[in-house]
Every structure is written in C-alpha cells, then in structure tokens.
Amino acid sequence: MEPEHPSSLESRADALMDGLRADLERLAAIPSIAFPGYPPEPVQQAHDLIVSLLREAGVPTIERIDLPGTAPVIYGEIPPPEPDAPTVLLYGHYDVQPAGDESLWHSPPFEPTPVPGGLRARGVADDKSSVIAHLGLLRLYGGRPPVGIKLVIEGQEEYGSPFDEHPPTDPGRFACDAVVIADLGNLRPGTPTLTTGVRGACEVTVEVRTLAEPRHSGEFGGAAPDALLVLLRALATLHDARGDVAVPGLRREPWDGTTYTDEEFGDLASVVDGLPLIGTGSLGERLWSGPAVTVTGLDAPAVDHAASAVVPYARARVNLRFHPLQDPLEARAALVEHLRAQRPFGVPLTVTPGDTGPGFEARTGGPAYRAALTALKEAWGTEASYVATGGSIPLVNGLARAAPEAEVLLFGAQDSMCNLHAPNERVLLSELRNTVVAMAAFVREYAADYRSARPGDAGGTR
C-alpha cells in the first residue's frame, strides 16, 4: 500500500466529518445506560447501530461476546493486508453514565444539541465520540487500513462488568501488537495528549459503634463516647495540616509531564472562588503520581432531623487512588492498617476492605509510541504532551495481560473540559476530526515502521 500523503489524509478526514457528525448524533440520542434499573433495550439499540455502521465501513468479521451479567461486547476484525503487517486493537465503549439531575442540563441529555464548536449530550464525549473516531479511521481507508485491526467495543464499562477479566482467558482473540484505548482525551482542547499512567483504586468502609442506642446529649454528652466524633477524628488523620495524604506506605513520586495550572484546575473542579487547593507539590503529583484519599460517603444523622442526642453509630466510605505501579494489595493494606491503628478516645474502629483495582503505566519509546507522537503532531500541529489520569480503566490491565508484548496507547476525542460524567457533557468537533486524523496517521506510521524493520530491508531489525 502506498504511503498516505499527510495533506491527502487530512482532506479525506475533512470530507468524512458531516457523515461522522450525523452518526454521532444518532448514537448519542440513544440512552444506552447499562446500570441496574434502566431498560436494556436502548443498550441493545446502540449495539445494533454500531454493528451496522461497522459492517458498512467494511469490517468483514463482527462477532458478539456474551458474558453473564453484562451487556454484549462487539468484536470486529480486519485481517492484516500482508502477513507481517502489525495488528492494532482499538477499544471503546457504547454505554454511558446516567444523566443525573436533568434540571442542571441546558438541553435534554439525550437530544444532541449544537454548542459552539461541538455537540452536547450525555455520552457524546465519553465514549461515543471515540467509537465514531474508530469508524472514521475505517472509512478513511475504505475498510482496508495498512494494519490488521481488531475492534473491542463494550457495553457496560461505566457500571463495570466481568469483561474486565475476560481477555486473559482468550488471549488468541485479543493478540495484537498495539492497543489504542480510546476512552480518554486531551489535557485541554487543542493540546494533543497521550495518557501514560492510570492510578489504581480501592475502597474501604470504616464503622464505629459506641452505644446501644442514642442518649440525651445534655445528660450523657461529655462522657458517653460519641461515635460520630470518634469517626471524624479518625478520618482527620488521613491528611496532614497541608492536605497531603498522611498514610505511611503509599507511593508518591515527582511528575515531570504536562499538567494543569492551578487556575485551570480550579475551574475544572468548580472550586469556590477564593478557596485554595489542598496539598503541596505539583498538581501532577497530587493527581497522578501520588495518592489521594477521599471520603465519598458518610452515614450519620441528617442535620434537618437531628435529635439532641449522642450519636451511637457512624460509618464512612473512603476511596483511595494510588500510584500506577504500586501493588494494589499493598496500597489497600497501608490504608486499612492506618485506620485500624487509630483509637480515638480509646475507641476501636471496624475497617472493612472493599473493591480494589490495579493501576497501569504504559511503556513508552517503542515503535507504536513513536508512531503515535508523529500522528498526534500531524493532527494537531504541535508536539504531543503526556499526562496520567486518576480515573480507573480496569480493562487496560486485562488487555495488557492478554497481549503482554503489545504497546498500550491511551488517547481519544474527549478533553478534560468536556464535562464527562457531569451535566452538559459536550464534545468539540475539532477534537473528533483531529482524532480521526491522528488514528489514521498512527496506523500509517506504525505500518511503515514495520516495513522498514523487516529482516533484510533497509532500516535494520526490531
């Protein structure tokens, strides 16, 4: 196959954009929420639409992977154009988060609505835009890209599913040379970004019971142990006076990649004007290469219905995000042991470990990584940056175990300002267009690297 000239590639991507936008609007109009309590029919409808679009784009093999307790996974395959061409696995998901409080949306969440430069709808960025970017790649090459393609598009990523652990049980199906996880995006619009690390996550429940039942605060307060005070005092030990995590044994390292400015992050996090951020060191350390401990839930009497009584029982859910390379059981044990060591006012805590998932750190510097850097620069016109993410993508580790030699690349059509999982989610069409260009340029560059590295050819060996 003759190499694509960059200007030809970009003009062909531009010619596809009207159709890709229309297909994104069709897909984003489907409320494919795969959470309990939501109807399954829209999830199936989104599945069927994507299958139809992939067939039209020239994917000859499309299969359905059904596992207990999860929505169907779409698996597609295009064989390599020649025996020694590389194979690239493309990942995305067609399910979406629930819309949440619809009164906070500026338009109905499942009516794709134009906004300056893009579209607003639930799931239009996370992750339907990247699914459409995969489609754009296939259309740009007429269904015959210069590499072999495997497509994995799952339907229950947001809620979680057994598919996270499935790829290592069927390594032949998922064998490939490179993986593109298109469930992330740029640090900011117009800034091409590769994500190279994903923090691990675990949850812990902390409980305190001090009395058999509430007792009058006037007659018993001051001596009777207050369960809520005990719990709050224990939770306060998780951070030092500066807001840094104070749990021994959690890994933290300097971050030397790109990160937000304090002002950008304050806007993204909706920090109330005038309030400082917590913690010290770079934002990259606090968000990506160091730990974060968050109290995500608290069971205690509500203020509006509070009685004048000593609280007998209180409970909290604690979420830990930890360094991408820290062992998940080690990180969880550090948090559990720290909390169990606390005995505020002499009162012990009941600490119960919950779900735990590992982080991931991608290898960089290989041929796929080099091809991606070239492709991102071609698409956006500037050198790519690299970041990490504090969010979790459990399937990354499953795919990496299934294809341990494959390079893993994380990029897509989202950006950090797209309001994913929040009201008024949006995608910029410029980011979608550039992602299509980047994916097309990536497979072109990656295939060329393989050709140049054939034994006996100029360019040496791998």
Side-chain angles (χ1 to χ4, degrees):
M1 179 177 290
E2 290 297 318
E4 286 284 343
H5 189 278
S7 61
S8 169
L9 189 153
E10 293 196 32
S11 63
R12 289 165 65 184
D14 289 336
L16 294 171
M17 280 305 297
D18 286 347
L20 293 174
R21 173 178 177 155
D23 289 329
L24 179 57
E25 290 180 350
R26 291 169 64 194
L27 188 58
I30 301 172
S32 50
I33 304 167
F35 280 60
Y38 289 86
E41 291 80 11
V43 177
Q44 185 65 51
Q45 184 184 356
H47 169 280
D48 294 347
L49 174 57
I50 294 169
V51 168
S52 174
L53 292 172
L54 292 177
R55 290 196 191 283
E56 292 170 4
V59 181
T61 301
I62 301 178
E63 299 174 1
R64 171 176 168 143
I65 301 175
D66 284 302
L67 299 173
T70 191
V73 177
I74 300 167
Y75 175 83
E77 191 169 328
I78 301 175
E82 47 196 36
D84 56 355
T87 294
V88 176
L89 188 152
L90 305 175
Y91 169 81
H93 63 87
Y94 63 86
D95 63 305
V96 303
Q97 281 280 325
D101 184 352
E102 295 193 20
S103 70
L104 300 177
W105 285 76
H106 301 322
S107 56
F110 293 103
E111 292 182 12
T113 301
V115 297
L119 293 169
R120 177 173 58 234
R122 168 58 84 226
V124 72
D126 180 21
D127 185 41
K128 291 177 177 178
S129 60
S130 290
V131 172
I132 294 299
H134 292 329
L135 184 68
L137 162 65
L138 300 177
R139 287 180 180 172
L140 191 146
Y141 283 108
R144 299 178 61 198
V147 299
I149 293 289
K150 293 185 177 182
L151 288 147
V152 176
I153 304 175
E154 68 169 314
Q156 198 170 299
E157 189 273 347
E158 297 291 6
Y159 181 71
S161 82
F163 184 65
D164 292 343
E165 299 299 321
H166 178 70
T169 70
D170 191 3
R173 182 190 291 271
F174 300 99
C176 59
D177 300 289
V179 178
V180 176
I181 303 289
D183 192 15
L184 291 158
N186 291 337
L187 182 71
R188 57 182 68 88
T191 301
T193 307
L194 278 172
T195 298
T196 59
V198 179
R199 278 198 299 197
C202 80
E203 291 192 332
V204 169
T205 301
V206 190
E207 298 178 84
V208 182
R209 180 171 292 281
T210 55
L211 308 173
E213 57 188 12
R215 282 290 184 264
H216 192 291
S217 59
E219 296 196 20
F220 296 92
D226 183 320
L228 184 54
L229 284 178
V230 169
L231 180 61
L232 294 176
R233 196 171 181 96
L235 296 177
T237 68
L238 296 172
H239 298 83
D240 64 19
R242 301 171 299 178
D244 290 322
V245 173
V247 177
L250 294 177
R251 185 170 173 177
R252 175 170 173 164
E253 296 177 355
W255 175 256
D256 58 3
T258 305
T259 188
Y260 304 106
T261 66
D262 283 6
E263 293 73 20
E264 280 180 321
F265 183 78
D267 288 342
L268 287 170
S270 300
V271 176
V272 174
D273 287 346
L275 292 186
L277 306 182
I278 68 169
T280 61
S282 75
L283 277 173
E285 284 184 48
R286 283 178 273 171
L287 298 173
W288 303 324
S289 62
V293 177
T294 306
V295 179
T296 58
L298 186 67
D299 290 340
V303 170
D304 289 345
H305 303 286
S308 295
V310 179
V311 174
Y313 174 79
R315 180 173 68 158
R317 176 69 56 83
V318 178
N319 179 270
L320 168 66
R321 303 292 169 137
F322 50 89
H323 189 283
L325 292 182
Q326 184 158 25
D327 178 87
L329 297 182
E330 177 186 75
R332 186 178 72 181
L335 177 60
V336 169
E337 290 169 11
H338 174 85
L339 287 168
R340 285 178 176 165
Q342 308 306 312
R343 297 178 67 89
F345 314 119
V347 177
L349 310 172
T350 299
V351 183
T352 306
D355 291 342
T356 304
F360 177 81
E361 187 165 276
R363 300 192 306 272
T364 60
Y369 186 81
R370 293 194 302 269
L373 290 176
T374 299
L376 291 167
K377 182 177 180 180
E378 182 175 320
W380 274 272
T382 186
E383 297 286 348
S385 302
Y386 70 93
V387 300
T389 179
S392 299
I393 309 177
L395 184 66
V396 174
N397 287 281
L399 289 172
R401 293 200 307 275
E405 300 304 315
E407 293 181 70
V408 179
L409 306 167
L410 297 99
F411 68 94
Q414 305 170 26
D415 65 82
S416 64
M417 302 174 185
C418 69
N419 279 358
L420 75 166
H421 293 208
N424 302 304
E425 180 179 349
R426 66 100 181 100
V427 71
L428 297 177
L429 296 174
S430 60
E431 298 296 284
L432 173 58
R433 178 265 190 195
N434 288 349
T435 301
V436 173
V437 173
M439 288 185 174
F442 165 68
V443 297
R444 182 199 67 213
E445 293 293 315
Y446 193 39
D449 182 274
Y450 259 71
R451 284 196 299 272
S452 69
R454 289 173 183 166
D457 287 357
T461 59
R462 289 191 160 299

